[in-house]
Amino acid sequence: EPEVTQTPSHQVTQMGQEVILRCVPISNHLYFYWYRQILGQKVEFLVSFYNNEISEKSEIFDDQFSVERPDGSNFTLKIRSTKLEDSAMYFCASSGRDRVSYEQYFGPGTRLTVT
Amino acid sequence: DAKTTQPTSMDCAEGRAANLPCNHSTISGNEYVYWYRQIHSQGPQYIIHGLKNNETNEMASLIITEDRKSSTLILPHATLRDTAVYYCIVRVRWSGGSNYKLTFGKGTLLTVNP
């Protein structure tokens, strides 16, 4: 069964450093998302992406964040200058366009630890 | 998106049916009821969705009341691996091809006991 994959599974970085989290969505999907979950808190929407542009973003997704689909398979989330409060699990998700594949399917997540 | 209300936690014996309730009294006519679950810090997993008819798939059944103000997710034979946080989410499913974010609440922590 096709699945969303994410790398790395765990990333440790120092405050102020740039990080790039990578995702490979399900191959025939067209919509891509990033969510995050701070330890012990709810899963929060960050951004959705379609047709090479952001279709919606939350208040969390400020100028420090950016997303990109650099090729036909990867979908990346970049945090330019990490802060301690960026420590969280980051989940990528994808969904298709037809009514059969419209549900969002999530990857296993990347645990980001900012020290 | 309509607001949902779920119990904070529930217990279930292994092998028995787990019935997880959700109230969504402000649901709109074009909003679907979705269920996802999250097993200990893993990515949320889609379970099932429905509009007004009862639905069943290989994972679970979804019973939606006639007035659509509440629903119940049923895991017919719960196993220890079903221990997870279960999220009931109400949202528009399809509107001219637009994609919609999922808004997660706190969900119900289901603990399946041996």
Side-chain angles (χ1 to χ4, degrees):
Chain A
E1 186 175 319
E3 58 184 19
V4 177
T5 59
Q6 291 185 243
T7 54
S9 57
H10 190 188
Q11 174 87 46
V12 181
T13 189
Q14 289 189 325
M15 195 168 50
Q17 295 297 304
E18 175 183 287
V19 294
I20 298 176
L21 310 183
R22 291 183 167 79
C23 168
V24 179
I26 294 173
S27 64
N28 61 346
H29 282 183
L30 300 174
Y31 298 98
F32 313 110
Y33 317 80
W34 284 100
Y35 293 79
R36 80 170 186 190
Q37 185 175 33
I38 295 171
L39 186 63
Q41 298 187 24
K42 295 187 282 189
V43 177
E44 301 173 289
F45 168 78
L46 292 178
V47 66
S48 58
F49 191 85
Y50 170 70
N51 199 25
N52 283 319
E53 61 183 24
I54 290 173
S55 46
E56 186 178 2
K57 61 182 181 179
S58 71
E59 292 177 352
I60 303 167
F61 194 88
D62 61 22
D63 293 344
Q64 292 300 311
F65 292 88
S66 63
V67 289
E68 194 177 34
R69 187 156 162 82
D71 53 41
S73 60
N74 289 286
F75 179 52
T76 62
L77 174 69
K78 182 193 291 187
I79 309 175
R80 263 181 271 281
S81 177
T82 51
K83 302 188 280 276
L84 294 176
E85 53 265 37
D86 294 327
S87 294
M89 285 289 291
Y90 288 81
F91 297 109
C92 173
S94 69
S95 63
R97 185 177 175 85
D98 61 78
R99 294 170 189 256
V100 173
S101 64
Y102 200 61
E103 318 323 322
Q104 292 183 32
Y105 293 88
F106 286 75
T110 293
R111 179 175 300 282
L112 176 65
T113 302
V114 183
T115 62
Chain B
D1 295 338
K3 179 178 169 57
T4 62
T5 304
Q6 299 178 253
T8 303
S9 63
M10 294 183 65
D11 286 330
C12 177
E14 188 178 18
R16 305 297 292 267
N19 297 282
L20 293 97
C22 179
N23 286 317
H24 31 79
S25 58
T26 61
I27 191 169
S28 301
N30 63 345
E31 289 182 315
Y32 284 69
V33 180
Y34 282 81
W35 284 84
Y36 278 76
R37 74 179 182 183
Q38 187 177 26
I39 298 171
H40 187 57
S41 294
Q42 295 181 24
Q45 178 188 22
Y46 165 77
I47 301 173
I48 199 168
H49 73 274
L51 182 63
K52 55 184 178 180
N53 298 319
N54 297 338
E55 302 288 344
T56 296
N57 64 19
E58 64 278 4
M59 289 183 69
S61 295
L62 174 60
I63 309 297
I64 302 173
T65 59
E66 194 169 337
D67 63 9
R68 302 210 320 125
K69 292 184 177 181
S70 66
S71 60
T72 301
L73 178 75
I74 300 172
L75 307 179
H77 305 287
T79 70
L80 299 179
R81 288 175 296 178
D82 291 321
T83 293
V85 178
Y86 287 77
Y87 301 100
C88 171
I89 299 169
V90 170
R91 86 179 200 348
V92 174
R93 179 171 186 249
W94 177 270
S95 177
S98 298
N99 57 339
Y100 293 93
K101 65 177 185 262
L102 291 167
T103 301
F104 290 84
K106 295 184 178 180
T108 297
L109 172 60
L110 174 69
T111 302
V112 181
N113 300 305

